[in-house]
């Protein structure tokens, strides 16, 4: 049983190490879209660099934005940015009229700015027969071309497939928009209509048939493969997340250099290594062999945590690194409770294996209570805190859960195997006096009797 436990621990550690260092490894992507993604360590804006933009939400006439309107705008902007594939964007409100957007690792800043900064006044505009078709990206005079209906008549939008197997953009209209569009398309087959965002044409498809039921499909005609994926996704984003209740204005932007992020990473790693090194030194001096085992378990813990960070994936920020270092301290704290209890049991006259088992068993309640309290606090921070606090809380939750496994299971299994060896049955290896130490019996019969005790 002990060998099986050690084999499981070793296999799990090797798998975690492979996840930590394997280049170009792909794993299944969670979510409705499926597919795969490249396994990588995601870094936040403060470590990876990127773009930070502050927007002001402007009033419309006498109506000023309230907290509910700010929350709606924040959610719409967050969905827009998420759809571009930016890893863990941070979108948060500040004060009564500010939205701050942080985009780690952004390369195409102009595309993101254009998408985020759009006011989102979406209109469906008929183009009269005989009029020139307005090119995509050009402004259109809505006074001259009155809209048939606005974007609030849109129910949903998605990427679909046309009858030739090519990529299309599909959207569904609400009842009033569906009725208006059916009446118009029935009388204007082969004419054009424009989808206009903030007065700029983003698409101008031709009406092929009367559209009934409010289900509309936009294709690129005879183009092989249909819409390019990027164009299709941008059009879906505009259709689905286009409308904002209030206009927004960019106040400032700050591009954070990856060099600055690398400096933060170097300093954080240096501080972490110094702190962990001092902890390991203390454990080795004070607890001797159990301290060395705990040090190995701590390294094992770090390998497991990093693998989980890459698999989920967790976006690491400076706050997240702080959460990880805190969880390291809690993992060491559990071992300290166990080893001190083991020393007490040895001084009470118990044999070495019995004292180790009692140390783990009797320290468990204190460890469980402490870690559950930390998990409750971290969960509250995760569900009710800001995005930065959520990152800290998520890392802390993962760290606490894994530290309970390594402190109880890994350290215990290794010590159980070690005490079976003659060289490990010395008082000096456990930091206790010789008169307080009862070694593990050497004969097989005595060992069986001791295990029964």
């Amino acid at each position: 049983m002990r060998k099986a436990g050690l084999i499981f621990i070793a296999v799990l550690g090797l798998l975690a190490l492979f996840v930590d260092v394997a280049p170009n490894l792909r794993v299944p992507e969670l979510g409705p879209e499926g597919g795969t993604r490249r396994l990588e360590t995601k870094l936040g804006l403060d470590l990876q660099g990127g773009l930070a933009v502050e927007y002001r939400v402007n009033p419309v006439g006498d109506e000023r934005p309230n907290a509910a309107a700010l929350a709606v705008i924040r959610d719409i902007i967050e969905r827009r940015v998420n759809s571009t594939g930016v890893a863990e964007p941070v979108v948060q409100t500040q004060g009564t009229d500010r939205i701050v957007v942080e985009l780690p690792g952004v390369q195409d800043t102009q595309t993101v700015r254009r998408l985020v900064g759009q006011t989102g006044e979406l209109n469906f505009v008929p183009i009269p027969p005989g009029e020139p078709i307005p090119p995509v990206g050009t402004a259109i005079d809505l006074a001259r071309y009155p809209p048939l209906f606005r974007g609030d008549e849109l129910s949903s939008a998605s990427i679909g497939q046309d009858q030739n197997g090519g990529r299309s953009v599909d959207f569904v209209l609400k009842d009033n928009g569906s009725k208006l569009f059916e009446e118009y398309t029935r009388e204007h087959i082969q004419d054009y209509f424009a989808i206009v965002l903030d007065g700029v044409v983003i698409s101008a498809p031709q009406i092929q048939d009367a559209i009934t039921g409010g289900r509309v499909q936009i294709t690129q005609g005879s183009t092989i493969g249909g819409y390019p994926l990027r164009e299709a996704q941008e059009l879906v984003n505009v259709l689905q997340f286009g409308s904002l209740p209030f206009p927004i204005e960019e106040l400032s932007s700050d591009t954070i250099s990856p060099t600055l992020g690398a400096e933060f990473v170097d300093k954080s790693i240096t501080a972490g290594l110094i702190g962990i090194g001092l902890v390991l030194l203390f454990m080795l001096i004070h607890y001797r062999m159990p301290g060395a085992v705990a040090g190995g378990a701590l390294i094992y813990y770090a390998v497991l945590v990093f693998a989980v960070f890459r698999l989920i994936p967790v976006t690491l920020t400076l706050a997240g690194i702080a959460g990880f270092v805190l969880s390291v301290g809690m993992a060491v704290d559990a071992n300290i409770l166990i080893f001190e209890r083991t020393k007490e049991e040895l001084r009470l006259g118990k044999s070495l294996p019995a004292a180790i088992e009692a140390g783990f068993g009797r320290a468990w309640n204190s460890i469980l209570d402490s870690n559950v309290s930390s998990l409750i606090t971290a969960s509250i921070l995760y569900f009710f805190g800001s995005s930065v606090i959520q990152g800290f809380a998520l890392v802390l939750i993962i760290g606490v859960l894994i530290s309970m496994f390594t402190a109880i299971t890994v350290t215990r299994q290794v010590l159980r195997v070690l005490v079976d060896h003659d060289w490990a049955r010395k008082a000096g290896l456990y930091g206790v006096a010789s008169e307080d130490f009862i070694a593990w019996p050497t004969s097989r019969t005595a060992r069986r009797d001791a295990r029964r005790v």
Side-chain angles (χ1 to χ4, degrees), residues 177-435:
S178 174
K179 181 180 178 181
L180 291 171
F181 206 50
E182 179 178 349
E183 293 174 354
Y184 180 80
T185 56
R186 194 180 298 279
E187 298 177 1
H188 293 84
I189 295 176
Q190 301 303 315
D191 290 341
Y192 290 81
F193 76 95
I195 301 175
V196 180
L197 182 69
D198 293 341
V200 176
V201 176
I202 60 171
S203 182
Q206 186 181 36
I207 300 169
Q208 301 293 334
D209 297 292
I211 297 174
T212 60
R215 296 185 175 275
V216 186
Q217 184 176 79
I218 304 176
T219 66
Q220 284 204 336
S222 59
T223 303
I224 297 176
Y227 264 106
L229 178 59
R230 181 174 178 179
E231 291 183 20
Q233 188 62 62
E234 286 185 357
L235 182 53
V236 168
N237 293 341
V238 169
L239 292 172
Q240 192 165 12
F241 309 130
S243 299
L244 296 177
F246 290 89
I248 60 175
E249 174 188 359
E250 182 178 323
L251 292 181
S252 64
S253 62
D254 185 18
T255 301
I256 298 177
S257 169
T259 304
L260 182 61
E263 183 180 349
F264 286 157
V265 172
D266 292 341
K267 289 182 178 179
S268 301
I269 292 176
T270 301
L273 289 176
I274 292 174
I276 293 174
L278 290 174
V279 169
L280 293 178
L281 183 62
F282 166 78
M283 296 291 288
L284 190 61
I285 293 174
H286 193 68
Y287 295 107
R288 315 292 172 83
M289 190 182 76
V293 173
L298 198 61
I299 296 173
Y300 183 90
Y301 159 82
V303 171
L304 283 187
V305 169
F306 190 57
V308 172
F309 287 170
R310 286 167 63 88
L311 285 171
I312 289 180
V314 174
T315 299
L316 286 178
T317 62
L318 287 176
I321 292 176
F324 170 71
V325 173
L326 180 59
S327 66
V328 168
M330 298 184 68
V332 173
D333 181 59
N335 283 306
I336 288 174
L337 288 174
I338 293 167
F339 298 155
E340 285 296 336
R341 189 63 183 174
T342 299
K343 282 186 176 183
E344 292 178 4
E345 298 297 328
L346 285 172
R347 294 186 181 105
L348 290 175
K350 289 188 177 181
S351 65
L352 176 59
I356 289 175
E357 295 299 327
F360 278 90
R362 296 182 180 180
W364 168 244
N365 288 335
S366 299
I367 295 171
L368 181 63
D369 291 346
S370 173
N371 283 280
V372 168
S373 300
S374 299
L375 288 174
I376 292 173
T377 303
S379 298
I380 293 173
L381 293 175
Y382 181 78
F383 287 107
F384 299 101
S386 66
S387 55
V388 175
I389 298 300
Q390 286 177 335
F392 168 83
L394 178 60
V395 170
L396 183 58
I397 290 171
I398 294 172
V400 168
L401 291 174
I402 296 179
S403 72
M404 292 175 68
F405 168 73
T406 55
I408 299 299
T409 304
V410 176
T411 306
R412 190 175 198 170
Q413 288 294 329
V414 173
L415 284 176
R416 280 175 171 174
V417 172
L418 289 178
V419 297
D420 274 342
H421 296 82
D422 292 338
W423 61 265
R425 299 193 301 271
K426 297 178 182 178
L429 294 177
Y430 300 89
V432 296
S434 298
E435 58 270 17

Side-chain angles (χ1 to χ4, degrees), residues 24-78:
N24 302 321
L25 183 66
R26 301 194 69 85
V27 294
E29 179 70 89
L30 300 178
E33 292 82 8
T36 61
R37 65 173 176 85
R38 189 168 70 89
L39 200 63
E40 58 184 346
T41 304
K42 292 185 177 294
L43 301 178
L45 183 69
D46 51 358
L47 300 181
Q48 187 181 9
L51 181 68
V53 188
E54 182 179 359
Y55 294 94
R56 179 173 62 199
V57 182
N58 293 322
V60 176
D62 295 333
E63 187 178 2
R64 293 188 169 275
N66 54 23
L70 280 179
V72 170
I73 294 172
R74 180 199 63 208
D75 291 343
I76 291 175
I77 290 177
E78 189 167 33

